[in-house]
Amino acid sequence: MAVVESILDIPVQDPAEEEFCWADLTWTKFRTSEREDDVALIPYERVDAFIIGECSNIECPTRFHIERVRKRSFGSLKEYKNDDYLEYRLYWCSFGPENYGEGGGILPSRRYRLNTRNRAARPQSMRGCKCHFVVKRLYARPSLALLVYNDNDRRHVNDSGFVCHGPLDRDAIGPGAKKIPYICNEIQQQTMSMIYLGIPEENVLEKHIEGIQRYCGSNAKVNSLASQYVHKLGMIIRRSTHELDLDDHASIQMWVERNRKSIFFYQDTSEADSFILGIQTEWQLQQMIRFGHRSLIAADSTFGIKRLKYPLSTLLVFDSRQHALPVAWVITRSFAKLDVSKWMKALLGRARSVEPAWKVSGFLIDDAAAEIDPIRDIFCCPVLFSLWRVRRSWLRNIVRKCNNIEVQREIFKRLGKIVYSIWGGVDTLAALEELAQDFVDQTAFMEYFKASWVPKIEMWLSTIRTLPLASQEASGAIEAYHVKLKAKLFDDSHLGALQRVDWLVHKLTTELHSSYWLDRYADESDSFQNVKEEYIASTSWHRALQIPDSAVTLDDQEQLFAKVLSQKDSSLTRLVWNPGSEFAFCDCAWSIQGNLCKHVIKVNTICANHQSYQPSMSFQSFKEILMNLWRKPMDDSVSLDLSVAWTHQMLDQLQKLVELTGSSDIGTVVNNLPLKWVSKKGRTNVGKRSPTLALPSSSQGMQTAAVRKKNRKRKRLSRLR
């Protein structure tokens, strides 16, 4: 093996295989004054292919988890070496450690041992494996990654030097453990999810065998053992019960003791404290870190406030398809600022214990009474408001309490006008009084509205006016989760258990968790095609994308309604009243139930491109915020310059995000980003742009004089404006 003392002497390797491992690379001894390691240079974009290849080791199949992460921002170092990192990740085999063998220490992320009675080979069985490696994204060359292996850390052995997992493990515990098919965490979760969702056992067995054959091959013995495993697992799940004790409080305490790793915060009831239970599985934590970083988190709050013993709040992230994905559940009746701060700090601390740089870009709320200060203080991000709960509550009660469909349309339209008028200086109480007089004959609805909404309408309208408003896509995704949660929990067969917390916890962590896990797995692995198709079409926004523009006909004269031709039945046409508004009313069954339907979304999307229709409330809210920011300075001072700078910075970031979202080729977007400049001292920097879009690239060179001149001219124009 060649020995070098400079990173520049190491060749860059890019194997042709789609997935590759250690054996496919030529390794070099890299010697420094402190140590000597085996290293290899590969393109940074091929790191995932290397990790997958390492996981597919035939002798020791495994998964690698990220044990430690360190990051630097580009431009933070004035002087740096060729081997300094921009990003540092330590990957460790998931079979290790608990103790490395004899007398070893315990890694911080593997403190809790799961499934202690069964130590057969699976990732949650910590068997002391020492195999680990480092991936360093180079500061000087961000497009390259340095793979670092130590001689003693490459083999899957414990501290005593023995193979500690896989087919070669001679000390596997349990009867016939070496002959039992390898069941990794992914296969086990897949099998459990299918059983929880009621999929027939023969279908579960078929998918289970497909999974284990990736490791064990195909033979009669494997199939027989797999059949026994699936059958026994099914029996265990079917016989499992939420009642660990007849007393609900004692039962939930027993569940907490058994599932510490799935709990991020727990506070028992006492004279001074309220009951709070924060649930987050390891998979949910991974999804929150993956999809929540520099993105949005939304809250579906106070679910079941009238029917459950304790209301349920759900924290959601938006996945790769912008569907709402539950990443944490909080069961509590207390919404006091102190209690909210407690569990929010615990949740953020858990995420940053895995990813220290994890940060949220925005937090969506759906309740005007929610405490905003803890969100701003703890997550340090803007707070947005979603209209979906207001819209759903009003529409459902209008349909229930008013029999005439024309009256339903008009009342919903009038309520929408009241909400739309919050920026126009309209007297809200006068508008509500006029509404009550015009619909005095609708006694049932007006009594409900006066009792439930009039006392707090000013608070809700003030929140809508003050906070930025979320888009229809986000509102539709949150509503889709809410509808699915309601269907899972309020099944007629479970109505007798609604007042037990242990039943609620059991339903969340088994059926609902399994459902979302299988949805994501089906989408990412391109398997379970029927599950994948249902998952993709689970939001009204995605269903609206399937409707062609030609199927929509607008009433251009009076703009009272729009017609949408059904895609399944060409003889059927849906009528959408009050088009272009968040409070549009459709006559389809989904809308009559109070939901935001695909026809309304499609019509509003088309109306957004017509100037004759009013813009959406989220756009009006954004416009009002920008105008307030621009109007804030009352004199020609530095404050005016600062306001203009902020405004243009936001507009620039929005333009880049729109360009990135609408582009089919990300390479063109990256090429249009500002070029880097190099100072006289040779230090490379990046122009201050959007932090999520400024992508450093070693191929960028010095800005030309023409570009610098153009930038100076742009700054002067912005000052004049």
Side-chain angles (χ1 to χ4, degrees):
M1 190 180 294
V3 180
V4 299
E5 296 183 354
S6 173
I7 293 291
L8 300 176
D9 298 331
I10 302 175
V12 179
Q13 302 176 67
D14 190 0
E17 294 86 353
E18 184 177 348
E19 299 168 0
F20 60 96
C21 64
W22 170 85
D24 299 317
L25 297 171
T26 302
W27 294 82
T28 306
K29 285 283 186 185
F30 178 56
R31 180 182 299 159
T32 65
S33 57
E34 301 173 350
R35 55 185 300 158
E36 188 176 283
D37 294 310
D38 298 345
V39 300
L41 267 180
I42 63 170
Y44 181 72
E45 61 186 16
R46 299 296 312 278
V47 168
D48 286 344
F50 172 74
I51 295 172
I52 294 173
E54 287 292 275
C55 292
S56 304
N57 187 327
I58 297 177
E59 295 181 350
C60 300
T62 184
R63 293 289 184 271
F64 282 89
H65 68 272
I66 299 175
E67 186 61 39
R68 191 174 299 121
V69 179
R70 298 172 187 162
K71 291 184 179 180
R72 292 189 177 113
S73 58
F74 202 82
S76 60
L77 295 180
K78 295 182 179 179
E79 297 180 358
Y80 53 85
K81 301 176 184 177
N82 289 325
D83 62 333
D84 279 341
Y85 64 86
L86 182 65
E87 184 177 344
Y88 172 101
R89 290 180 183 266
L90 171 62
Y91 289 85
W92 207 294
C93 172
S94 291
F95 282 97
E98 184 174 46
N99 57 9
Y100 294 114
E102 293 294 330
I106 300 175
L107 283 185
S109 72
R110 313 296 289 178
R111 289 195 182 102
Y112 303 107
R113 179 191 297 179
L114 297 180
N115 203 6
T116 54
R117 289 182 299 174
N118 183 2
R119 297 303 299 274
R122 57 185 57 160
Q124 67 264 39
S125 300
M126 292 164 275
R127 303 182 65 84
C129 183
K130 295 176 60 180
C131 181
H132 63 275
F133 60 89
V134 171
V135 177
K136 292 170 67 173
R137 188 176 188 180
L138 297 178
Y139 189 93
R141 293 185 286 176
S143 61
L144 299 181
L146 183 70
L147 306 178
V148 182
Y149 254 128
N150 187 280
D151 250 347
N152 299 323
D153 303 330
R154 185 180 301 146
R155 299 174 60 227
H156 292 268
V157 298
N158 58 19
D159 204 37
S160 302
F162 295 109
V163 176
C164 53
H165 62 92
L168 302 181
D169 181 11
R170 295 185 298 175
D171 297 324
I173 299 174
K178 289 183 289 183
K179 301 177 183 178
I180 293 177
Y182 176 79
I183 304 174
C184 69
N185 198 35
E186 183 180 278
I187 299 174
Q188 186 185 27
Q189 181 64 59
Q190 172 188 304
T191 305
M192 291 174 61
S193 298
M194 295 176 71
I195 295 173
Y196 275 124
L197 297 176
I199 296 175
E201 187 172 304
E202 56 269 20
N203 296 345
V204 177
L205 178 60
E206 179 184 352
K207 290 294 182 180
H208 182 79
I209 291 176
E210 287 179 8
I212 62 177
Q213 282 179 354
R214 294 188 307 221
Y215 302 98
C216 306
S218 176
N219 59 67
K221 182 67 174 178
V222 167
N223 294 350
S224 174
L225 291 171
S227 178
Q228 295 176 29
Y229 175 83
V230 171
H231 181 68
K232 289 179 179 178
L233 187 61
M235 290 179 60
I236 292 171
I237 290 175
R238 283 190 292 271
R239 292 176 180 177
S240 63
T241 176
H242 60 275
E243 290 188 356
L244 303 179
D245 191 277
L246 292 177
D247 179 66
D248 185 42
H249 183 260
S251 178
I252 202 65
Q253 284 186 322
M254 293 173 65
W255 186 90
V256 168
E257 289 299 322
R258 296 181 183 184
N259 297 272
R260 286 286 181 186
K261 209 166 186 180
S262 296
I263 298 170
F264 69 88
F265 185 80
Y266 176 64
Q267 177 177 282
D268 202 358
T269 309
S270 67
E271 293 182 0
D273 297 322
S274 301
F275 175 85
I276 304 175
L277 176 59
I279 302 172
Q280 185 183 60
T281 66
E282 288 191 73
W283 178 76
Q284 287 180 306
L285 174 61
Q286 294 168 8
Q287 305 311 304
M288 187 176 79
I289 293 172
R290 177 184 176 187
F291 295 116
H293 180 53
R294 296 205 173 277
S295 187
L296 299 173
I297 284 185
D300 175 21
S301 54
T302 62
F303 177 87
I305 195 168
K306 296 179 180 179
R307 303 178 69 178
L308 298 177
K309 183 177 181 180
Y310 293 104
L312 170 68
S313 297
T314 307
L315 293 187
L316 307 160
V317 294
F318 298 96
D319 62 18
S320 54
R321 294 190 182 273
Q322 305 306 327
H323 289 19
L325 185 68
V327 293
W329 292 295
V330 181
I331 303 172
T332 182
R333 191 179 289 123
S334 173
F335 303 101
K337 186 180 297 185
L338 179 61
D339 288 332
V340 172
S341 298
K342 288 179 182 178
W343 65 258
M344 281 191 175
K345 287 178 181 177
L347 184 67
L348 181 64
R350 194 177 198 220
R352 288 186 173 169
S353 67
V354 178
E355 181 63 71
W358 190 79
K359 181 177 176 60
V360 178
S361 294
F363 200 107
L364 273 68
I365 62 172
D366 60 1
D367 186 359
E371 289 288 352
I372 297 176
D373 291 340
I375 300 173
R376 288 174 171 163
D377 295 341
I378 296 169
F379 288 98
C380 302
C381 68
V383 179
L384 290 79
F385 186 79
S386 174
L387 290 167
W388 81 269
R389 187 177 292 276
V390 182
R391 183 189 187 281
R392 178 181 174 85
S393 177
W394 287 355
L395 183 55
R396 284 171 62 86
N397 282 280
I398 287 173
V399 173
R400 285 177 181 175
K401 302 179 187 300
C402 302
N403 297 325
N404 190 308
I405 190 169
E406 293 182 359
V407 173
Q408 295 171 0
R409 295 168 180 168
E410 189 59 29
I411 292 179
F412 197 50
K413 181 178 180 179
R414 292 279 293 275
L415 288 174
K417 283 185 176 180
I418 293 174
V419 178
Y420 265 83
S421 66
I422 57 177
W423 298 293
V426 176
D427 187 347
T428 304
L429 294 179
L432 291 174
E433 189 174 334
E434 183 181 351
L435 176 72
Q437 292 176 356
D438 291 344
F439 297 97
V440 67
D441 57 330
Q442 302 300 319
T443 310
F445 175 75
M446 294 312 302
E447 287 180 354
Y448 152 77
F449 193 79
K450 288 178 181 178
S452 303
W453 284 96
V454 171
K456 58 184 180 182
I457 192 72
E458 286 290 349
M459 176 186 69
W460 281 80
L461 293 181
S462 175
T463 302
I464 295 172
R465 181 171 52 248
T466 305
L467 297 179
L469 299 181
S471 64
Q472 286 189 103
E473 183 179 11
S475 297
I478 300 171
E479 185 180 73
Y481 165 77
H482 180 88
V483 171
K484 184 172 182 177
L485 176 65
K486 189 173 182 179
K488 289 286 184 184
L489 295 187
F490 292 161
D491 187 344
D492 290 342
S493 61
H494 302 121
L495 293 181
L498 294 179
Q499 291 300 309
R500 289 189 66 99
V501 181
D502 56 0
W503 168 84
L504 175 60
V505 170
H506 182 75
K507 293 287 286 186
L508 293 174
T509 55
T510 55
E511 291 185 32
L512 194 66
H513 184 277
S514 297
S515 174
Y516 278 97
W517 186 94
L518 195 61
D519 285 344
R520 291 298 310 156
Y521 179 78
D523 188 40
E524 294 185 341
S525 64
D526 197 26
S527 57
F528 301 101
Q529 289 302 314
N530 57 333
V531 175
K532 180 179 178 179
E533 291 171 4
E534 290 179 8
Y535 157 72
I536 294 174
S538 61
T539 67
S540 297
W541 182 271
H542 278 262
R543 292 194 293 270
L545 295 177
Q546 307 307 313
I547 303 176
D549 293 353
S550 58
V552 179
T553 305
L554 298 177
D555 175 25
D556 293 331
Q557 294 182 352
E558 299 183 8
Q559 300 180 354
L560 294 177
F561 61 87
K563 295 181 179 179
V564 182
L565 185 66
S566 174
Q567 300 304 294
K568 295 181 179 179
D569 184 0
S570 57
S571 63
L572 184 63
T573 301
R574 295 300 181 187
L575 209 59
V576 177
W577 287 83
N578 195 22
S581 168
E582 273 87 344
F583 294 86
F585 186 101
C586 180
D587 58 2
C588 71
W590 188 246
S591 180
I592 294 298
Q593 295 175 22
N595 303 304
L596 181 62
C597 72
K598 61 182 179 181
H599 308 106
V600 169
I601 292 177
K602 184 63 182 182
V603 169
N604 288 353
T605 304
I606 292 180
C607 290
N609 298 322
H610 291 70
Q611 294 184 354
S612 57
Y613 290 88
Q614 62 184 352
S616 67
M617 288 200 69
S618 57
F619 180 81
Q620 287 195 41
S621 172
F622 173 67
K623 180 181 177 182
E624 189 71 17
I625 290 171
L626 289 182
M627 293 301 294
N628 289 339
L629 185 63
W630 179 74
R631 286 196 298 260
K632 192 172 183 179
M634 300 304 294
D635 55 357
D636 193 15
S637 63
V638 175
S639 298
L640 178 61
D641 299 335
L642 188 59
S643 296
V644 171
W646 283 346
T647 305
H648 278 272
Q649 183 182 15
M650 284 189 288
L651 287 173
D652 186 66
Q653 292 185 21
L654 280 171
Q655 289 171 357
K656 292 298 180 185
L657 283 171
V658 170
E659 183 181 357
L660 184 64
T661 304
S663 175
S664 58
D665 182 9
I666 194 173
T668 59
V669 180
V670 175
N671 292 335
N672 290 334
L673 292 176
L675 299 174
K676 292 193 298 185
W677 55 272
V678 182
S679 67
K680 294 180 180 179
K681 294 182 180 180
R683 180 163 55 92
T684 305
N685 299 280
V686 179
K688 289 185 178 180
R689 304 289 286 183
S690 166
T692 59
L693 295 171
L695 305 176
S697 171
S698 58
S699 62
Q700 293 176 332
M702 189 183 298
Q703 283 187 329
T704 63
V707 174
R708 290 197 298 269
K709 184 177 180 181
K710 183 178 180 180
N711 288 341
R712 287 197 296 269
K713 184 177 180 180
R714 185 189 300 169
K715 290 180 180 178
R716 287 197 298 270
L717 287 173
S718 66
R719 282 176 173 269
L720 289 174
R721 292 195 187 102

